[in-house]
């Protein structure tokens, strides 16, 4: 399976190297976060942990659109390597101060998040520069498998290391982040044969305010990309409370402890990997139908999960749900960027992540309040039904002209749309 995920397309090893860098960085983040959370909860309350999480994530969310602009205007190889180095320095700072000052550690956590915002848009532009257009859907699917892989590997490693020593785990996280630079340096020596020319002239000298809003402006003429952004916002409203709902149901209605919750997360990660592998095999003309079906199946299985009364059945249903999620993850970037001009891909990608992330944080607070007056099963079933409705709405409201043009748009060198 790993060979299917990381093998290069049409002779390009760039996908494998970018996959390796993503996996090492994601593993570092898992180990870092688990060790940080355990350390905070040993000495402080959950409210303190919530404050630390806000410090660590909100600055990154605010900077994400700037990161997308930088990825569109500067050498993405330098940005990607710089992102990894900056994160390594910040994780090192967290390791040094973990036992001595939680708020200093939280500040380093926030800076690490800022450094990480440069990585996704830079990686996406780098990937599209080294992979032929017709191979990009498969390459996107393979990069999407990082999420599932590191849910299993990263979370397990982080839990084991943090149980041994949170400070030692943080040092391992720093080492993993440093190692993430190695495949990037190897890839940086290779040419980018499919990279689009950098912006020049008036476009390159545009004020920063106009640069930051270019992604929004271009979406007005790109109905397919716009639809992916709005369904991402809608799913962010549901998915923000995923971990809370999962943990509450596993430890409550299923009557399980750490073993049950751990089994659910293993099923989560494995199913996402399988979903991305499956999606990579879909013909381009089937992408939009598969994307819709995945949202519907995801919602049906998620709602059924909360009706299951036995841990084994619950694990199976969560596996089905996350298999569908893996298909969504694998196709999401391809569908989003199919009609987006190369000059604004970074900004559109960052806009999608920003809106999703913002709604995820809003939903975390919203569902936290709902769970004080509603049963977790009721909330879970309702969120599953919402996913089904959203998938059907997305299909009904899609732009049919964009749908007909999608297969050609995916495989041609430059989408036929005017850059902002």
């Amino acid at each position: 399976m790993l060979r299917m995920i990381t093998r290069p397309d049409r002779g390009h090893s760039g996908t494998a190297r970018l996959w390796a860098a993503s996996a090492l960085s994601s593993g570092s983040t898992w180990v870092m976060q688990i060790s940080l959370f355990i350390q905070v909860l040993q000495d402080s309350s959950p409210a303190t942990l919530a404050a630390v999480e806000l410090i660590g994530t909100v600055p990154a969310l605010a900077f994400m659109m700037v990161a997308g602009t930088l990825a569109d205007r500067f050498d993405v190889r330098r940005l990607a390597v710089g992102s990894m180095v900056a994160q390594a320095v910040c994780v090192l700072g967290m390791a040094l101060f973990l036992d001595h000052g939680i708020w200093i550690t939280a500040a380093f956590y926030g800076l690490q998040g800022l450094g990480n915002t440069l990585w996704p848009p830079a990686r996406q532009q780098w990937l599209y520069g080294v992979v032929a257009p017709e191979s990009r859907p498969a390459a996107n699917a393979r990069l999407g498998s990082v999420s599932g892989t590191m849910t299993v590997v990263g979370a397990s490693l982080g839990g084991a290391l943090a149980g041994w020593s949170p400070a030692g785990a943080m040092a391992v996280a720093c080492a993993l982040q440093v190692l993430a630079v190695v495949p990037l340096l190897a890839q940086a020596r290779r040419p980018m044969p499919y990279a689009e020319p950098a912006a020049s002239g008036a476009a390159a000298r545009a004020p920063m305010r106009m640069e930051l809003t270019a992604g929004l402006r271009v979406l007005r003429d790109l109905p397919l990309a716009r639809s992916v952004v709005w369904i991402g916002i809608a799913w962010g409203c549901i998915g923000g409370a995923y971990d809370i709902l999962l943990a509450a149901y596993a430890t409550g209605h299923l009557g399980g402890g750490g073993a049950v919750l751990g089994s659910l997360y293993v099923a989560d990660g494995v199913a996402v990997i399988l979903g991305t592998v499956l999606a990579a095999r879909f013909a381009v003309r089937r992408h939009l139908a598969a994307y819709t079906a995945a949202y519907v199946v995801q919602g049906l299985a998620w709602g059924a999960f909360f009706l299951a009364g036995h841990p084994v059945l619950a694990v199976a249903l969560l596996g089905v749900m996350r298999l569908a999620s893996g298909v969504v993850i694998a196709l999401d970037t391809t569908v989003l960027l199919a009609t987006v001009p190369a000059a604004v891909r970074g900004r559109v990608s960052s806009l999608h992540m920003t809106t999703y992330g913002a709604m995820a944080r809003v939903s975390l607070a919203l569902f936290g309040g709902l769970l004080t007056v509603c049963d977790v099963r009721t909330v879970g079933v309702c969120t599953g039904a919402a996913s089904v409705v959203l998938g059907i709405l997305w299909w009904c409201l899609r732009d049919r002209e964009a749908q007909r043009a999608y297969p050609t748009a995916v495989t041609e060198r430059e989408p036929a749309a005017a850059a902002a």
Side-chain angles (χ1 to χ4, degrees), residues 2-361:
L2 185 62
R3 174 66 177 166
M4 292 175 66
I5 292 170
T6 60
R7 70 176 180 228
D9 296 293
R10 298 271 179 114
H12 294 293
S13 57
T15 303
R17 293 194 180 97
L18 292 175
W19 191 97
S22 298
L24 288 166
S25 182
S26 179
S28 171
T29 299
W30 271 105
V31 174
M32 176 269 291
Q33 287 182 334
I34 291 175
S35 58
L36 174 62
F37 292 174
I38 288 177
Q39 181 69 21
V40 172
L41 290 175
Q42 283 178 351
D43 304 322
S44 306
S45 67
T48 302
L49 177 58
V52 169
E53 180 70 2
L54 284 173
I55 292 172
T57 56
V58 171
L61 192 62
F63 185 74
M64 201 169 286
M65 287 299 296
V66 177
T69 301
L70 296 177
D72 286 333
R73 292 306 180 207
F74 295 97
D75 188 332
V76 293
R77 293 166 292 191
R78 293 181 179 179
L79 288 176
V81 172
S83 170
M84 295 301 180
V85 172
Q87 289 182 75
V89 171
C90 292
V91 176
L92 176 61
M94 294 172 70
L96 294 174
F97 287 96
L98 189 62
D99 292 324
H100 306 290
I102 191 59
W103 300 115
I104 297 177
T105 304
F108 275 111
Y109 184 25
L111 291 173
Q112 182 271 337
L114 284 177
N116 187 52
T117 58
L118 290 169
W119 170 237
R123 182 189 68 178
Q124 198 61 47
Q125 289 284 47
W126 197 345
L127 178 71
Y128 276 34
V130 299
V131 176
E134 64 273 13
S135 298
R136 289 170 183 170
N140 284 329
R142 291 184 183 117
L143 284 181
S145 70
V146 170
S147 172
T149 302
M150 299 320 295
T151 296
V152 177
V153 178
S156 300
L157 179 63
L161 290 173
W164 159 63
S165 167
M170 197 69 76
V172 172
C174 181
L176 290 173
Q177 195 66 63
V178 171
L179 288 175
V181 178
V182 176
L184 296 184
L185 292 177
Q187 182 59 33
R189 295 195 294 268
R190 304 297 181 93
M192 297 174 61
Y194 302 101
E196 300 296 335
S200 60
R205 297 190 299 270
M208 179 59 71
R209 180 185 60 79
M210 293 184 63
E211 291 287 280
L212 291 174
T213 59
L216 284 171
R217 295 197 308 273
V218 78
L219 285 179
R220 292 179 301 190
D221 301 320
L222 300 174
L224 183 60
R226 188 170 64 246
S227 72
V228 175
V229 171
W230 76 251
I231 201 171
I233 294 172
W235 180 247
C237 186
I238 299 168
Y242 173 81
D243 291 315
I244 290 178
L245 293 173
L246 194 67
Y249 188 64
T251 58
H253 288 276
L254 293 180
V260 172
L261 185 58
S263 298
L264 290 171
Y265 273 112
V266 170
D268 177 319
V270 172
V272 168
I273 295 171
L274 292 174
T276 58
V277 172
L278 176 64
R281 297 179 177 276
F282 292 148
V284 173
R285 66 182 184 279
R286 305 292 186 193
H287 280 185
L288 301 185
Y291 190 69
T292 305
Y295 265 105
V296 173
V297 172
Q298 177 179 252
L300 290 172
W302 181 241
F305 168 77
F306 288 95
L307 300 177
H310 194 278
V312 174
L313 179 58
V315 168
L317 287 170
L318 186 70
V320 173
M321 181 263 184
R322 293 303 284 167
L323 179 73
S325 298
V327 173
V328 171
I329 291 168
L331 296 180
D332 194 66
T333 300
T334 301
V335 177
L336 173 71
L337 298 180
T339 56
V340 174
V344 290
R345 281 189 193 128
R347 275 162 284 188
V348 171
S349 298
S350 291
L351 175 63
H352 185 33
M353 291 185 292
T354 300
T355 52
Y356 174 85
M359 286 308 303
R361 283 154 182 79

